[in-house]
Amino acid sequence: MGKAERGALAQGLVRCHACGHLAKLRRARHCPVCGGVLHARRPHSLQHTLALLISSYALYIPANIFPIMTVNQFGVIERHTIIGGIFALVEKDMAPIAALVFIASIMVPLLKLLGLSALLLNVRLRWQRHPQWWMRMYRLIVFVGRWSMLDIFMISILVAVVDLSGGVSQVIAGPAATAFAAVVVLTMLAAKSLDPRLIWDKQNKL
Amino acid sequence: MTHPPDACPECDLLLRPSRPIVGEKIVCPRCGYLLHSPREQSVERVLALSVAGLILAGPANFLPLIGITFLGNSHEGTLWAGTAGLFAEGFWLVAALVFLSSIFVPLLNISLALLISLHLHFNRPHHLLAHWMRWLQHLEEWAMLEVYMLGIIVACVKLSDTADVQLGFGLYAFVALLLVNVMLTGSLDGYLFWQRIAELRRKLHGQG
């Protein structure tokens, strides 16, 4: 242990974000191998993540209260919110699909919002315990991020396919679609801008 | 034989890893990050898969994915029509996002992989190689073909309640494109690619 357990930055070395080349701190601003800009840590990582996270929280509200999709069948207009769409699936005895949509559209965005908030607190307040546990959460958030696009893609397919002549049947996206898509993208960007090495850095400060 | 000193990209632990052979994995001892797992003939496989991906992209984008028949009316939907439909309804932000994540970024990734692997295979240096590789790494997570596939499945289940659903030829091309994309990501050995790019860069600067 001892020396081998220490971070590269503590030894005056910086790893290139792109190609992984290990360069001496302060010797060069650009990576000698790939030409990328060298940073010890992602610049302003916490501020960027916090800003993106606050925007996501704000957009999460309209995403859930406005209809995400409007179905027009024989002139009868039905508006579905995200939760309403899940209930409609349950009523039609499609519980497995309902569970899938529930996980992708409700649980994953919530997990991302709360998880990223907790990670920010963890880094900011320098909680010292269980870095492995926090790391696992960070990786889970990065991994599941894209899967909440499920609802948006489903609507895009329905819009393309359900467009029958004479107004028999039509699917139109709702205002929540834009808000929800923005939540997905902003939380993905928030996770991307959080430098996971910050979780480990505070370990050395003790 | 050992690698030059390396740092874990996710926890910054300073490492001096041994050089793995095909089938071996090097994992960060502190945080568990997969540092390097070499692939057999990585450059050639990426080259072949990206050519296959470009061939499949045409039918996957323009042939109907699924079609429905409802009260004697039938209609088919393509990948393009989804983006175009959202755009026509005024949801241009959502339309742009769907276009980027299901059409543009996957295509761009495959093109970049083709460009890079062509240059590496024929040992041709190019001053933009490192840029292409960096873009490829950044864009990887914004290609969401597998999520789109799940979206198609959910849409089919929803539609099957009220209408007859037919699977189109475009869907088979789309599934093939998805598989090619997954295999391409799996066979791209980032460590090897960067090493080769660095060698070619030295060759370029040595000549110039």
Side-chain angles (χ1 to χ4, degrees):
Chain A
M1 303 285 163
K3 223 175 190 177
E5 285 273 56
R6 290 178 65 190
L9 184 60
Q11 315 257 345
L13 296 168
V14 179
R15 185 186 190 277
C16 172
H17 287 308
C19 73
H21 176 76
L22 212 56
K24 283 226 163 60
L25 187 64
R26 278 178 229 279
R27 178 169 288 182
R29 298 190 60 206
H30 292 270
C31 172
V33 174
C34 75
V37 184
L38 289 172
H39 296 292
R41 295 290 176 263
R42 202 173 282 280
H44 308 295
S45 170
L46 293 187
Q47 288 93 323
H48 286 187
T49 308
L50 182 64
L52 291 162
L53 200 58
I54 291 171
S55 320
S56 311
Y57 270 115
L59 284 160
Y60 189 66
I61 300 161
N64 277 291
I65 57 175
F66 288 119
I68 197 162
M69 178 170 83
T70 306
V71 182
N72 178 355
Q73 206 159 28
F74 308 116
V76 181
I77 291 170
E78 251 184 273
R79 289 192 172 84
H80 290 291
T81 55
I82 293 176
I83 300 171
I86 294 168
F87 278 125
L89 280 171
V90 172
E91 277 167 21
K92 286 178 191 163
D93 288 329
M94 297 181 192
I97 293 287
L100 193 68
V101 178
F102 178 77
I103 292 171
S105 309
I106 307 270
M107 272 181 59
V108 168
L110 259 182
L111 173 89
K112 280 201 291 184
L113 289 172
L114 298 177
L116 281 169
S117 311
L119 273 169
L120 273 181
L121 284 175
N122 165 57
V123 174
R124 190 82 186 86
L125 301 177
R126 301 216 170 118
W127 292 339
Q128 302 286 328
R129 304 182 61 180
H130 309 303
Q132 279 89 355
W133 192 89
W134 288 103
M135 201 62 192
R136 226 169 284 159
M137 188 165 85
Y138 166 79
R139 285 189 187 137
L140 182 68
I141 288 169
V142 171
F143 172 76
V144 297
R146 54 228 305 278
W147 289 95
S148 6
M149 281 294 284
L150 174 67
D151 235 14
I152 300 290
F153 287 147
M154 187 201 68
I155 291 166
S156 131
I157 299 157
L158 289 180
V159 165
V161 176
V162 185
D163 188 12
L164 295 177
S165 51
V168 178
S169 196
Q170 205 184 7
V171 171
I172 302 167
T178 306
F180 187 74
V183 171
V184 177
V185 172
L186 291 177
T187 47
M188 277 179 77
L189 289 173
K192 220 178 146 75
S193 61
L194 184 69
D195 195 328
R197 288 172 294 187
L198 296 172
I199 300 171
W200 300 88
D201 279 348
K202 62 191 173 51
Q203 302 292 316
N204 305 329
K205 299 266 162 68
L206 254 185
Chain B
M1 211 177 164
T2 55
H3 272 312
D6 199 359
C8 172
E10 297 212 331
C11 78
D12 210 33
L13 179 67
L14 197 59
L15 301 155
R16 197 174 280 275
S18 57
R19 195 170 293 242
I21 53 164
V22 173
E24 282 183 338
K25 278 181 191 170
I26 291 198
V27 173
C28 172
R30 184 160 75 168
C31 75
Y33 180 82
L34 179 61
L35 289 155
H36 187 199
S37 71
R39 306 283 171 188
E40 216 171 332
Q41 293 183 302
S42 179
V43 175
E44 286 71 24
R45 283 191 187 185
V46 169
L47 181 57
L49 286 166
S50 49
V51 171
L54 282 185
I55 295 169
L56 287 165
N61 279 304
F62 296 108
L63 292 181
L65 293 173
I66 54 172
I68 55 162
T69 310
F70 180 58
L71 299 174
N73 285 304
S74 61
H75 195 260
E76 287 172 329
T78 62
L79 201 56
W80 262 104
T83 301
L86 283 169
F87 193 81
E89 287 172 4
F91 290 90
W92 55 270
L93 224 113
V94 185
L97 182 62
V98 172
F99 170 73
L100 286 177
S101 54
S102 67
I103 299 173
F104 185 72
V105 176
L107 201 60
L108 185 62
N109 274 351
I110 292 171
S111 312
L112 285 171
L114 177 65
L115 266 175
I116 298 166
S117 54
L118 263 179
H119 279 87
L120 293 188
H121 181 70
F122 292 107
N123 281 313
R124 300 284 280 273
H126 193 286
H127 65 287
L128 286 178
L129 259 179
H131 288 264
W132 293 333
M133 189 66 194
R134 216 175 304 139
W135 288 341
L136 184 62
Q137 285 179 335
H138 275 298
L139 288 171
E140 214 161 28
E141 68 176 313
W142 298 97
M144 307 186 191
L145 292 179
E146 67 277 28
V147 186
Y148 203 96
M149 188 62 228
L150 197 60
I152 295 176
I153 294 169
V154 174
C156 281
V157 172
K158 273 199 162 185
L159 288 168
S160 65
D161 190 42
T162 47
D164 280 330
V165 180
Q166 298 101 33
L167 305 182
F169 188 73
L171 188 64
Y172 300 113
F174 185 83
V175 173
L177 179 63
L178 162 65
L179 290 177
V180 164
N181 228 334
V182 170
M183 287 165 71
L184 198 144
T185 313
S187 39
L188 201 153
D189 178 351
Y191 193 91
L192 174 81
F193 269 58
W194 276 117
Q195 211 176 16
R196 297 285 308 277
I197 289 171
E199 280 165 19
L200 288 178
R201 193 180 160 96
R202 276 195 289 274
K203 188 174 156 189
L204 185 71
H205 287 287
Q207 280 172 351

